[in-house]
Amino acid sequence: DFLHALDEVKPLFGAAEEELSRRILGDIVHYSRHIEDILEEGRLFINQVRKDESSPVLSVALHGPPGSGKTALAASMSMDSGFPFIKLLSPEDMVGYSEMQKVQQIEKTFRDAYKSPLSVIVIDDIEILLDWVPIGPRFSNSVLQALKTLLKKQPPKDRRLLIFATTSQRSVLHQLQLVFNAQIVVPNVNTQEELAHVLRHSGVFSDRDQQQAVTEIQEMTGSTEIGVGIKQILEGIRTAKQDKDVAGRFARIMSQAIADRTAFA
Amino acid sequence: DFLHALDEVKPLFGAAEEELSRRILGDIVHYSRHIEDILEEGRLFINQVRKDESSPVLSVALHGPPGSGKTALAASMSMDSGFPFIKLLSPEDMVGYSEMQKVQQIEKTFRDAYKSPLSVIVIDDIEILLDWVPIGPRFSNSVLQALKTLLKKQPPKDRRLLIFATTSQRSVLHQLQLVFNAQIVVPNVNTQEELAHVLRHSGVFSDRDQQQAVTEIQEMTGSTEIGVGIKQILEGIRTAKQDKDVAGRFARIMSQAIADRTAFA
Amino acid sequence: DFLHALDEVKPLFGAAEEELSRRILGDIVHYSRHIEDILEEGRLFINQVRKDESSPVLSVALHGPPGSGKTALAASMSMDSGFPFIKLLSPEDMVGYSEMQKVQQIEKTFRDAYKSPLSVIVIDDIEILLDWVPIGPRFSNSVLQALKTLLKKQPPKDRRLLIFATTSQRSVLHQLQLVFNAQIVVPNVNTQEELAHVLRHSGVFSDRDQQQAVTEIQEMTGSTEIGVGIKQILEGIRTAKQDKDVAGRFARIMSQAIADRTAFA
Amino acid sequence: DFLHALDEVKPLFGAAEEELSRRILGDIVHYSRHIEDILEEGRLFINQVRKDESSPVLSVALHGPPGSGKTALAASMSMDSGFPFIKLLSPEDMVGYSEMQKVQQIEKTFRDAYKSPLSVIVIDDIEILLDWVPIGPRFSNSVLQALKTLLKKQPPKDRRLLIFATTSQRSVLHQLQLVFNAQIVVPNVNTQEELAHVLRHSGVFSDRDQQQAVTEIQEMTGSTEIGVGIKQILEGIRTAKQDKDVAGRFARIMSQAIADRTAFA
Amino acid sequence: DFLHALDEVKPLFGAAEEELSRRILGDIVHYSRHIEDILEEGRLFINQVRKDESSPVLSVALHGPPGSGKTALAASMSMDSGFPFIKLLSPEDMVGYSEMQKVQQIEKTFRDAYKSPLSVIVIDDIEILLDWVPIGPRFSNSVLQALKTLLKKQPPKDRRLLIFATTSQRSVLHQLQLVFNAQIVVPNVNTQEELAHVLRHSGVFSDRDQQQAVTEIQEMTGSTEIGVGIKQILEGIRTAKQDKDVAGRFARIMSQAIADRTAFA
Amino acid sequence: DFLHALDEVKPLFGAAEEELSRRILGDIVHYSRHIEDILEEGRLFINQVRKDESSPVLSVALHGPPGSGKTALAASMSMDSGFPFIKLLSPEDMVGYSEMQKVQQIEKTFRDAYKSPLSVIVIDDIEILLDWVPIGPRFSNSVLQALKTLLKKQPPKDRRLLIFATTSQRSVLHQLQLVFNAQIVVPNVNTQEELAHVLRHSGVFSDRDQQQAVTEIQEMTGSTEIGVGIKQILEGIRTAKQDKDVAGRFARIMSQAIADRTAFA
Ligand SMILES: Nc1ncnc2c1ncn2[C@@H]1O[C@H](COP(=O)(O)OP(=O)(O)OP(=O)(O)O)[C@@H](O)[C@H]1O
Ligand SMILES: Nc1ncnc2c1ncn2[C@@H]1O[C@H](COP(=O)(O)OP(=O)(O)OP(=O)(O)O)[C@@H](O)[C@H]1O
Ligand SMILES: Nc1ncnc2c1ncn2[C@@H]1O[C@H](COP(=O)(O)OP(=O)(O)OP(=O)(O)O)[C@@H](O)[C@H]1O
Ligand SMILES: Nc1ncnc2c1ncn2[C@@H]1O[C@H](COP(=O)(O)OP(=O)(O)OP(=O)(O)O)[C@@H](O)[C@H]1O
Ligand SMILES: Nc1ncnc2c1ncn2[C@@H]1O[C@H](COP(=O)(O)OP(=O)(O)OP(=O)(O)O)[C@@H](O)[C@H]1O
Ligand SMILES: Nc1ncnc2c1ncn2[C@@H]1O[C@H](COP(=O)(O)OP(=O)(O)OP(=O)(O)O)[C@@H](O)[C@H]1O
Ligand SMILES: [Mg+2]
Ligand SMILES: [Mg+2]
Ligand SMILES: [Mg+2]
Ligand SMILES: [Mg+2]
Ligand SMILES: [Mg+2]
Ligand SMILES: [Mg+2]
């Protein structure tokens, strides 16, 4: 039993579970069949690490546009693994760290993971962990080389490790030659049907409001394509809720988001 | 009651109120209907943070040309929120800080904010905080990565945080991939009508002086467009007041400002 | 009375007066009406700071070619202000300082100024203070960001501050986005009339010598344009004085100076 | 006898043997005649160092695409040498080291090797040891210069040293002018026959599954060329094993791998 | 009397005289009338500093190709000044200094000079002092800014300072905006007549040898132009002296030197 | 007598002789008349320093392709000088040194040399000493400036110093403006005759083997040109010796070497 196992390591590894659940505010909305495919693929990798002793380390990159749900999905899959060691490596916990302190923190997390027979490490926002900026570009080469090495390093005997890493900048991985064993693509909410699914699920929109919003967005943007992340859509719903004209405000916010994406793509 | 609440945190957080009021020297002149729209939108975000527990953190960027009134507007909206914790993060208070000291100051401010149920942080002149210079370009990557992370970080349970950030260099945000949940555009004083409104409101110009100034500017620049920030206009009025020929001097100063803007745009 | 007031702060602020007078070796030659215009404009800004409490801080950049007299004019205007605190911030006093030591020195000077109700700070050779070199370009970003912030920072209540800054590289200010409230342009000695005025005033040239020099320069350069700074002209007069053929030597030196300027413009 | 000799130095040099064997998880599959050629060439160099006293130091670079088996082959050849000192220099053991610490570690390994009459040093992933990133490019010049020097340096009298270095970035060696005495090229699994050999050897695929997989890959990629490293193929087999449709899943994984390689080549 | 005066400051300033004389190994050969012109111009600047109290600081750059005799000429002119303080600032005495140590040494030398009523500072090889390399280009900005400031700085009351600086890279001064009050150009040995003058003066060549050498050079290079520095010519004479065929060897060395100059110009 | 003199300084300067001899493993094969010319020219410079007191310092660069024999020739010439102080400055002895430690080591070596009336310093692999890499390019400016200065610096009275420096990257010297008094070019083994000379001298090849090897190389490369350094040829002979088919293996190795050189030239 996973929760039981986690309790056992808690004194050593901290409240990994609570941290990860906080990343899944609300639930995972199954607005498209891709969501189930992604979760299924996650289970495949979990089984490989659990059962095949020739795969003692396996690294999987989740990439997709900003706010598409990468962190929530990675957290969800890790929780489902039931592995006794689950740990989130996030830039949020390293604000103000020097490059070397980051490397040490990362290295320590891997060392901790090697103590458990089965472990998952979630590396969130890997491009921020790397201090990546496209101008220059600049990044922390120390962190990069540490990750390159650790993603490839064999754990000690009888230890197995699964690594999920999220990034909204797939090209960064290629430019930096940071190689993963497998890749999972997380999509935006792309069609009007998918958007409608999310709106319905929110409970904020009446059927008419929902239809009006979708129609107005199409009028404002002159297109039926959406292409916005689930996170931004949920945020937009919450802002619009404060306005008397919920549907109109939501349409304006979404159109702005769509226009911005187009302008800076 | 806001002032009361602020008093309570004062011992901890310092004279936030006084600092912020000093940014609103004189009042907010409603020289155009955009000003009211901006203040209205500010109220919307304040309400969202206050009422919706699914939006525990919300970040809003105010951008517009130099001197267009960004700081005054951000200060004004924060004061209106009535939130118990209001704090200004300004480069003025970090002259001579190392990159790391800045990061620590920023991080501390967020940690302080997480102690109050409802908080506003105003990050003023975000491009100066980032030590941004267009040649290179150069900037502090440590500060950037800290901001990226903190703007996104979930506050602890039952804590909500609204962040206003001002910048006169919108493109900097895009180049540095510094993402906000929402954006507010602050305009220049653009038309002769808007300028006339400001001049009238200043109490320095007679009706004839005002008309003469506007006319002379049009003659000197060969255009009816103004495109100068409210701050520079108010400063120009104060310089012109020292001259015997108030209207003429003001027209010369403004024409110079308009020419400079055009030359270096 | 200014001298009296200065005496009072002397123990605290050092011999500002003496330092500044040393920058005005000899007098200000009124070789053109622009000189009076510049001094007049200086008086305007001094009055604005003295009288208008809505202008607690005002920054003025003096820019012009090397040796055009910027430092002498800034020093002269500051002395004329009669403000109780007058301070020169010059790279000469910071040779061998680290970037951080410079920032601290600058910041301390502003802090000192805030202690006096009315203050003038002269920042001399701002591009050297910034360690600016056009190749790269390189410069001290710490000093730049400190200046950006301090030029904009509101002094404490009831304190007013006027800042004069000199530079021979106006474009540097624009490239570095270092913004001043106002700008004063200091010209070269440009016409033969202006040059003749300076030669006459020097007392070194007989009427014939003066005419001969001007004529020879025109012959050597093939132009009536001079375009050399007052400082270099005065230096040239002093070198020529050592030669038996004063006029001829002066003409050769000036022609060389004019040719050099053209070659490297 | 090699194992005996190794035992003797163990207290000094650590469990080199165990480390190296861990790099040969599973065995070396002879899927093509190139494999035997490579091992043969290795024996030639081993003999030269063993027998010719005019070759006291010899450096051999193994290069080939990622996952082509370089590390396993270098480890295998070193173990076969029977030399009393065998040591692996790997970035895995230097995570978080500063440049200088790396240089010291490398230098110490060479110094240790000089104590044994016959030694092999395997330098694994030399481009990671150099902190190489193609953007910039960036790399550790200290490590580079140390390697340049040590690869060339004469051991003390009566000491002989063979160096194997692996890299997946041959061009890096040329760009950095890092010269080896000899080069061994390690190929990908390139033909359908070679792939079939590996699948058969895995024991996971029935004859029909194997044929189906090869056929489907050809259909998906539209080509008979494979061009994937043995390591990735073995990993793919292990993932596919978790799926009910082993052949189909394997084909999809391989096609993806082939497509990725093409896209980023 | 100069030597007497120098003796007085010796305990403080060290054996300036000896150092400088060592730079004038052998004598100054007057192989062309330019040499006398240069020395004459030097005397002019010495007089200006000695006599005109409005010129308390004067900086003169000697520039010319490598080995053209800049250092010897600067040393010679300084010795002729008879000023009580004469000091050589040379990179030779700062090998291994950090940038800051160099700045301190330079600053100290100026401070020492300010203690004497009349001083000369010779700054030798200013581009090496600046750590200048054309690739990059790289240079020490700290040293540059210190020199910029010190060349311009007014000495204390009743102190006068003359600065000679040598460089073989005039363009460096312009690129770095390092401004001098005056410039002296030092030429190469350019004509066959000048070369013959030097050969005759050396006492090594018979009349026939001298003629033969000049003729052979012309044949080998296909030109009557020489364009080599006096220093390299004197060195060539000394090498050729070791050969039995003095004239032939000298011709080969010179032709090589001329070819090299052309190839890398 | 040289050996006697060396013995005298040994306690101070270490086993210079042994170090240098180790660089001349085996002998100098006179495979072409250029070898004698080079040694002759070396004797010329040695005599100049020994006999002419106006040449107290003389620097000679030996440059040629990798492995062409520069180090062996420099060592050989130094040993032949019979000077009492002979010292090798090699990157091999400075692995892991910081830039400053290198500068100090270099500077100390020169200081030591100044203690002996006649000295030779061999600076081996000057581009590695400079940490030179063509990408960037990067190099140690501290070491560069130290060398620039020391190569030019006059030794104390009655001290003479000859410097030999080796490099396989002549262009580096020019790019870095590192100037020597003279240059010696060391060639590759270029013709079939020269190669045959080396093979015969090795004693490994029968007459038929030798002819076969030369013929096969010509067939494989399609050219009679060799263009490989003596060092690589000797190494190739030693590897081929391990194979049963000596001539064939040698031909393959050489053809590969020739092809590599062409590919990366
Ligand atoms: N199908 C879904 N997949 C992922 N997240 C979902 C889904 N449905 C709802 N959500 C919610 O949407 C939000 C997705 O935010 P999340 O932080 O995971 O996105 P992200 O891609 O990691 O964003 P970022 O690019 O900013 O890191 C979460 O609050 C999550 O609960
Ligand atoms: N409608 C208005 N909006 C904003 N400021 C106004 C308005 N009317 C008057 N003001 C005054 O104009 C000034 C605006 O200055 P403020 O510093 O806010 O501009 P800014 O855009 O932040 O400038 P900067 O780009 O230099 O940071 C303030 O003094 C404010 O009191
Ligand atoms: N009209 C004038 N304006 C300015 N300076 C004058 C004038 N007439 C004479 N002078 C003298 O000319 C000199 C001008 O030198 P100053 O150092 O002020 O020039 P600068 O422009 O600051 O030079 P730099 O570009 O080198 O800093 C001073 O000695 C000053 O006394
Ligand atoms: N013929 C073979 N050659 C090499 N390795 C083989 C061979 N057959 C099977 N293998 C196995 O394939 C794997 C090759 O992985 P290895 O780490 O050596 O590749 P690599 O080229 O070093 O990878 P990387 O580029 O990631 O460093 C090992 O597990 C090894 O046991
Ligand atoms: N007319 C002359 N002018 C200068 N030097 C001369 C002259 N005649 C002979 N010499 C001798 O020539 C040599 C010139 O060398 P010096 O070091 O001064 O040249 P340099 O231009 O400073 O060289 P570098 O560019 O290497 O610094 C000295 O030894 C000097 O004695
Ligand atoms: N004529 C020769 N000249 C030089 N070296 C020779 C000659 N004949 C035989 N040799 C041998 O060839 C080898 C030359 O190697 P050496 O290290 O001197 O070359 P190098 O040019 O310095 O190489 P690198 O470019 O790697 O520094 C030495 O072992 C030397 O004994
Ligand atoms: Mg995320
Ligand atoms: Mg502002
Ligand atoms: Mg000045
Ligand atoms: Mg490997
Ligand atoms: Mg010199
Ligand atoms: Mg060598």
Side-chain angles (χ1 to χ4, degrees), chain D residues 152, chain F residues 23-31 35 64-73 124-125 127 166-168 186 230-231 234 238:
Chain D
K152 216 175 150 176
Chain F
R23 254 73 182 189
I24 336 181
L25 294 171
D27 44 13
I28 300 281
V29 184
H30 287 244
Y31 63 81
I35 304 302
S68 53
K70 302 170 295 295
T71 304
L73 288 166
D124 200 24
D125 281 329
E127 74 274 20
T166 77
T167 179
S168 55
V186 182
I230 178 78
K231 191 158 118 185
L234 296 178
R238 288 192 286 264

Side-chain angles (χ1 to χ4, degrees), chain C:
Chain C
D1 164 299
F2 163 52
L3 285 182
H4 185 71
L6 190 68
D7 279 346
E8 274 170 28
V9 298
K10 241 185 202 156
L12 181 59
F13 304 122
E17 201 195 12
E18 197 191 321
E19 257 179 23
L20 281 171
S21 348
R22 282 198 34 239
R23 254 73 182 188
I24 337 179
L25 296 170
D27 43 14
I28 300 281
V29 184
H30 287 243
Y31 64 80
S32 127
R33 65 167 181 78
H34 289 120
I35 304 303
E36 184 47 39
D37 287 359
I38 289 169
L39 296 171
E40 175 62 35
E41 211 167 346
R43 280 188 286 269
L44 208 68
F45 295 122
I46 289 164
N47 278 335
Q48 179 178 356
V49 170
R50 184 186 286 117
K51 297 186 191 156
D52 191 321
E53 63 179 19
S54 307
S55 289
V57 61
L58 197 71
S59 60
V60 182
L62 287 98
H63 46 74
S68 53
K70 303 170 295 293
T71 303
L73 287 167
S76 168
M77 294 189 293
S78 305
M79 299 294 286
D80 290 351
S81 74
F83 284 11
F85 179 95
I86 302 175
K87 182 82 185 178
L88 177 70
L89 257 177
S90 163
E92 288 192 9
D93 306 314
M94 302 190 211
V95 172
Y97 277 37
S98 69
E99 290 195 33
M100 268 309 138
Q101 286 174 315
K102 280 192 188 179
V103 169
Q104 275 159 16
Q105 177 69 42
I106 294 167
E107 208 257 331
K108 185 187 177 313
T109 304
F110 277 77
R111 248 188 299 121
D112 285 348
Y114 296 153
K115 292 179 191 154
S116 160
L118 289 171
S119 303
V120 185
I121 294 176
V122 178
I123 310 181
D124 200 23
D125 282 329
I126 207 164
E127 75 273 21
I128 299 187
L129 203 66
L130 287 164
D131 289 332
W132 171 270
V133 215
I135 3 179
R138 296 203 211 163
F139 56 90
S140 161
N141 202 7
S142 314
V143 173
L144 173 63
Q145 302 297 340
L147 285 176
K148 267 194 185 174
T149 306
L150 290 169
L151 288 182
K152 219 176 148 176
K153 181 171 182 166
Q154 302 287 338
K157 204 154 163 293
D158 295 331
R159 301 302 187 218
R160 317 258 189 78
L161 172 60
L162 176 60
I163 300 147
F164 286 119
T166 76
T167 179
S168 56
Q169 312 228 336
R170 188 187 185 181
S171 77
V172 173
L173 305 187
H174 279 104
Q175 290 182 67
L176 300 179
Q177 304 183 320
L178 189 57
V179 178
F180 289 82
N181 294 120
Q183 319 246 354
I184 293 177
V185 179
V186 182
N188 269 331
V189 173
N190 281 321
T191 66
Q192 293 183 332
E193 288 70 41
E194 290 172 0
L195 176 60
H197 185 126
V198 176
L199 294 183
R200 260 192 318 273
H201 189 274
S202 72
V204 172
F205 285 70
S206 69
D207 272 16
R208 254 199 58 203
D209 274 5
Q210 177 212 304
Q211 227 153 41
Q212 181 197 336
V214 171
T215 312
E216 282 190 18
I217 292 169
Q218 180 170 345
E219 277 163 12
M220 290 179 189
T221 64
S223 156
T224 61
E225 220 178 311
I226 306 295
V228 174
I230 178 78
K231 191 157 118 185
Q232 213 172 338
I233 289 172
L234 296 177
E235 197 69 52
I237 294 173
R238 288 191 286 263
T239 305
K241 220 163 65 177
Q242 309 305 322
D243 203 316
K244 272 161 294 177
D245 176 14
V246 180
R249 173 66 68 173
F250 180 76
R252 281 202 299 284
I253 292 173
M254 278 299 107
S255 305
Q256 190 57 47
I258 293 167
D260 272 13
R261 173 177 49 75
T262 317
F264 296 100

Side-chain angles (χ1 to χ4, degrees), chain A residues 93-108:
Chain A
D93 307 313
M94 303 189 209
V95 172
Y97 277 37
S98 70
E99 290 194 33
M100 268 308 139
Q101 285 174 315
K102 281 191 187 180
V103 169
Q104 277 160 16
Q105 176 69 41
I106 293 167
E107 208 258 330
K108 186 187 177 313

